Amino acid sequence: MNDNRLRTHLEPTVLFVDMNSFFASCEQQDNYWLRGRPVAVCVYTGAHGCVIAPSIEAKQRGVKTGMRLNEAMALCPDLVPVQTSPNRYRSYHTKLIRVFKRFSDDVLPKSIDEAVIDLTRYQLAYKSMPETAQRIKQAIRTEVGDYLRCSIGIAPNAFLAKLASNLQKPDGLVIISPGNIDEVLGKLTLTDLPGIGANMAARLQTGGINSPLDLRYASPDRLKLVCKSIIGWHWHLRLNFGGEVDLATHAYKQMQAIRSVSTEQRQSPDGLETILRTLCLTLERRMVHQQFFCRRLQGWVRYHNGKRYDDELTFSIPMQDGIELFDLVLSRMKRYQEMHRSGPLLNPDVRQIGVGVSDFIPANSVQYTLFEDSSRKDKFRQTLHAIKARFGKNSLIRATELRDDVPVDLIGFGSIKDLGE
């Protein structure tokens, strides 16, 4: 889908589907014993593991995303910790998208648990959008999982549909239209609007815009001045049905791979290096899949004491090989340690490790140097990942990947760009 459009559209024909407590609900779907119980999906289930997805029942008991497991269990003693199962969530995501595409060809996954279904071109086929939304809910229950629930927002554009989906959880169905938008916005604060955080809210308030209704009725010129960019005009379009600015499928601007580190892993320097290597190989796989190379690399480490290490570099010869990226990040860490006479950056206080790549160019635009033709290595990577995609990630393994301490596979709510349909 790439259907941004600058024309007035007043009919609520865009649906935003938000799966409720998706990771936990997938676990409850596959394990009958977990149903009705407060469940916390965690990367690691040790006392200091982090809750990444509480179930509906856990949320009702006050458990929130980001809590440490020991804190969550003090709040909810009968909480059931479950280790994350990324392949399960990916599988359910794929099944959901398949169901959505039966209703419309215009489906845009926004994250692993959210999708836009644009029915604007299907108004003759679906005379009642609320009835169609109920049919989608039923199709999810009967064809994907009877324990899965979703909230659906319906509006003339994707932004307002997402806002509507947030207003009634779980299992909600809310419509925003020209007839009720002022009533809806009048009950909300600026930070209730998707995409407005504390910093943006402060900027708007400095410009005299103190509420969603103020935002709706401010002129486009004033909004551009306050927001200091075209974003202000986009807010005017979203809240006044003047066009669609959220349905384009954007190309990658950057890729990131991030891992939280368990207590056991942070005790071993080799284990921390293995995590770093795995992150770089993950970025390699994504770049091979998307057929491009990077010219900028970022690496960072976050520590439990609140301190951080950040590094960024650019290179003239584009890179794609994960082991080369790993060697580069690791060598710069060691150089930093020597220059500043610091202790090891990968130490027992590490909380999180991350690597990012950006400044992409298409693979077919890469120019090889006169003295080093890497085309054979590039072809090897393509073949390697094609085999892994077809026969499984462990069907063919490089010697550099043969480690016993392979990190747990993780998935983020936004990690959908590499999922096949």
Side-chain angles (χ1 to χ4, degrees), residues 236-285:
H236 173 79
L237 294 174
R238 291 179 180 121
L239 298 179
N240 291 277
F241 314 103
E244 180 62 79
V245 295
D246 297 295
L247 287 187
T249 51
H250 298 289
Y252 281 99
K253 293 183 179 179
Q254 63 177 346
M255 292 179 176
Q256 294 182 344
I258 305 170
R259 288 289 187 272
S260 296
V261 179
S262 70
T263 302
E264 180 180 356
Q265 288 171 325
R266 69 174 64 100
Q267 303 307 317
S268 165
D270 287 344
L272 294 172
E273 286 190 13
T274 297
I275 292 175
L276 180 60
R277 180 187 294 108
T278 300
L279 297 178
C280 292
L281 290 171
T282 297
L283 295 178
E284 174 194 295
R285 173 178 56 81

Side-chain angles (χ1 to χ4, degrees), residues 1-5 7 9 11-15 100-108 116-127 129 132 155-157 244 247:
M1 178 191 294
N2 191 351
D3 199 21
N4 280 357
R5 47 195 181 251
R7 61 177 182 268
H9 181 63
E11 294 297 320
T13 56
V14 179
L15 279 60
F100 299 159
K101 287 195 172 182
R102 282 218 327 270
F103 289 84
S104 170
D105 290 331
D106 298 331
V107 174
L108 176 61
V116 176
I117 307 175
D118 187 2
L119 300 180
T120 304
R121 296 192 297 136
Y122 297 81
Q123 295 179 62
L124 294 178
Y126 304 116
K127 299 187 183 304
M129 294 301 160
T132 304
N157 61 50
E244 180 62 79
L247 287 187

Side-chain angles (χ1 to χ4, degrees), residues 178-198:
N180 72 348
I181 185 171
D182 283 0
E183 179 184 356
V184 170
L185 295 180
K187 299 176 182 178
L188 304 177
T189 66
L190 285 172
T191 53
D192 290 327
L193 301 184
I196 296 186

